[in-house]
Amino acid sequence: MSGNGMTPDALKRLRNLAEFWNPRMQAATNDAELVKVVFDRAKAAAKRAQKNGDPQAMHKLAQELANWAAAMERQDATRQGRHGA
């Protein structure tokens, strides 16, 4: 194991994932495209986690997205209230 507690195989898997996803993220020409790529990456990670024994992985991803959306909605509502949308 390396100093970070990962086996060489685990590090190789992470490198392979980075080599797959990083170019796609960098190729995005706008934020909407970037969101699509990152969402696909997150969904793939959740599916992989489910396959590897975490049956709640997809639900955890959904909860993270719902929390983020709720925070953005609160922020937007507060901003609109201050500026008289």
Side-chain angles (χ1 to χ4, degrees):
M1 282 204 208
S2 67
N4 61 9
M6 287 192 197
T7 66
D9 284 344
L11 289 171
K12 182 178 179 183
R13 282 191 297 276
L14 287 177
R15 263 194 314 275
N16 288 343
L17 287 168
E19 288 174 9
F20 180 83
W21 289 110
N22 289 345
R24 286 161 177 76
M25 291 169 57
Q26 292 167 354
T29 58
N30 58 52
D31 287 342
E33 284 183 19
L34 180 59
V35 166
K36 287 174 113 175
V37 172
V38 173
F39 177 76
D40 288 345
R41 182 180 185 175
K43 194 165 71 169
K47 285 180 180 181
R48 204 168 33 257
Q50 283 183 316
K51 179 181 167 194
N52 291 326
D54 183 356
Q56 293 296 310
M58 198 64 74
H59 183 82
K60 291 175 189 176
L61 173 58
Q63 189 61 56
E64 288 290 331
L65 291 169
N67 290 344
W68 181 88
M72 293 302 291
E73 291 161 354
R74 282 190 302 275
Q75 178 182 333
D76 189 50
T78 301
R79 183 176 29 255
Q80 286 180 4
R82 275 196 319 247
H83 297 114

